[in-house]
Amino acid sequence: GAVVSQHPSRVICKSGTSVKIECRSLDFQATTMFWYRQFPKQSLMLMATSNEGSKATYEQGVEKDKFLINHASLTLSTLTVTSAHPEDSSFYICSAYGFQNTEAFFGQGTRLTVV
Amino acid sequence: QKEVEQDPGPLSVPEGAIVSLNCTYSNSAFQYFMWYRQYSRKGPELLMYTYSSGNKEDGRFTAQVDKSSKYISLFIRDSQPSDSATYLCAMRYDSGYSTLTFGKGTMLLVSP
């Protein structure tokens, strides 16, 4: 199946700093990518839909100024957590639909710890 | 009522057992159904993908969709300790760029 690569897999940062997470589609072009957040023992919560060349669409309750999404190319979307706080510590996962826009493939996830 | 209901488990079985994992849903507009396996601290891995009602088999895995009952299942035959993971069902409305709706996931533990 299609491959989605996410980087870094783990990051620790200090409160108040910003962290950038990258999501790449390695063998296909993804005009749309999705960013999720997952708390321990919980399901994936959709944060936003990232559209290449346009603004992201955020889900209700997600602060767009805090979670900046950039989808500058057909193979790369980035999520920047700005002015991170300990409550932002979570597991962040991106996904993209594969070649025929049917199956969704996920990145490996990024575990963010804000200290 | 939540859109997708899934028993969180944990479901504990001995090695070699047949495992049945299930989800129910409330919205009859869902057309595409998926099962993902997620190991701890990893991204979900697509296991099975099914369109509309019917069965689909892939190795030890069989996915069933019963749209009339709004019920989907994943069967794992000859379960192995390496199958121990959280299994998430997911579904979507159409083949465009619609988002997925996930169940909460069922934790499966297969003991040797």
Side-chain angles (χ1 to χ4, degrees):
Chain A
V3 178
V4 176
S5 178
Q6 190 172 338
H7 178 80
S9 59
R10 178 181 294 229
V11 59
I12 301 173
C13 71
K14 292 184 177 181
S15 288
T17 61
S18 295
V19 173
K20 180 184 285 188
I21 303 169
E22 292 186 348
C23 181
R24 294 181 184 274
S25 56
L26 295 187
D27 51 358
F28 65 103
Q29 294 181 334
T31 56
T32 301
M33 291 185 176
F34 303 91
W35 287 95
Y36 294 85
R37 185 173 180 175
Q38 188 177 33
F39 292 102
K41 299 186 179 180
Q42 297 293 317
S43 190
L44 286 77
M45 182 190 77
L46 180 65
M47 297 174 66
T49 302
S50 168
N51 302 298
E52 187 269 334
S54 64
K55 291 183 179 179
T57 303
Y58 290 83
E59 296 299 302
Q60 191 173 9
V62 178
E63 299 176 62
K64 60 182 179 182
D65 294 330
K66 179 167 190 59
F67 299 100
L68 300 179
I69 292 174
N70 183 276
H71 196 151
S73 77
L74 288 172
T75 59
L76 174 64
S77 175
T78 61
L79 168 68
T80 301
V81 183
T82 63
S83 187
H85 289 97
E87 57 264 31
D88 297 325
S89 299
S90 190
F91 193 56
Y92 293 87
I93 313 174
C94 68
S95 80
Y97 285 119
F99 300 103
Q100 302 193 12
N101 296 331
T102 49
E103 304 133 286
F105 295 93
F106 286 82
Q108 305 94 316
T110 297
R111 180 156 302 280
L112 170 63
T113 303
V114 184
V115 297
Chain B
Q1 182 185 10
K2 293 183 180 178
E3 275 201 298
V4 180
E5 299 273 5
Q6 185 176 10
D7 187 336
L11 175 63
S12 296
V13 301
E15 183 175 357
I18 296 175
V19 175
S20 173
L21 303 166
N22 311 293
C23 287
T24 58
Y25 62 96
S26 57
N27 193 330
S28 59
F30 286 126
Q31 298 283 346
Y32 297 84
F33 304 91
M34 283 142 277
W35 284 96
Y36 289 87
R37 177 174 61 195
Q38 186 176 24
Y39 292 110
S40 180
R41 302 190 177 191
K42 299 290 184 183
E45 171 194 7
L46 179 67
L47 281 178
M48 300 289 285
Y49 166 80
T50 310
Y51 169 66
S52 195
S53 285
N55 294 356
K56 187 173 184 178
E57 188 173 323
D58 184 1
R60 296 187 294 114
F61 299 92
T62 299
Q64 288 186 351
V65 175
D66 182 349
K67 291 192 69 180
S68 62
S69 302
K70 300 190 184 70
Y71 188 87
I72 68 171
S73 301
L74 177 70
F75 298 96
I76 307 174
R77 291 181 297 280
D78 188 25
S79 56
Q80 303 294 312
S82 58
D83 294 328
S84 298
T86 296
Y87 290 80
L88 297 151
C89 65
M91 45 200 79
R92 56 188 289 205
Y93 299 117
D94 56 37
S95 61
Y97 291 106
S98 63
T99 58
L100 292 174
T101 300
F102 283 90
K104 279 197 170 185
T106 299
M107 181 182 293
L108 172 66
L109 302 172
V110 182
S111 55

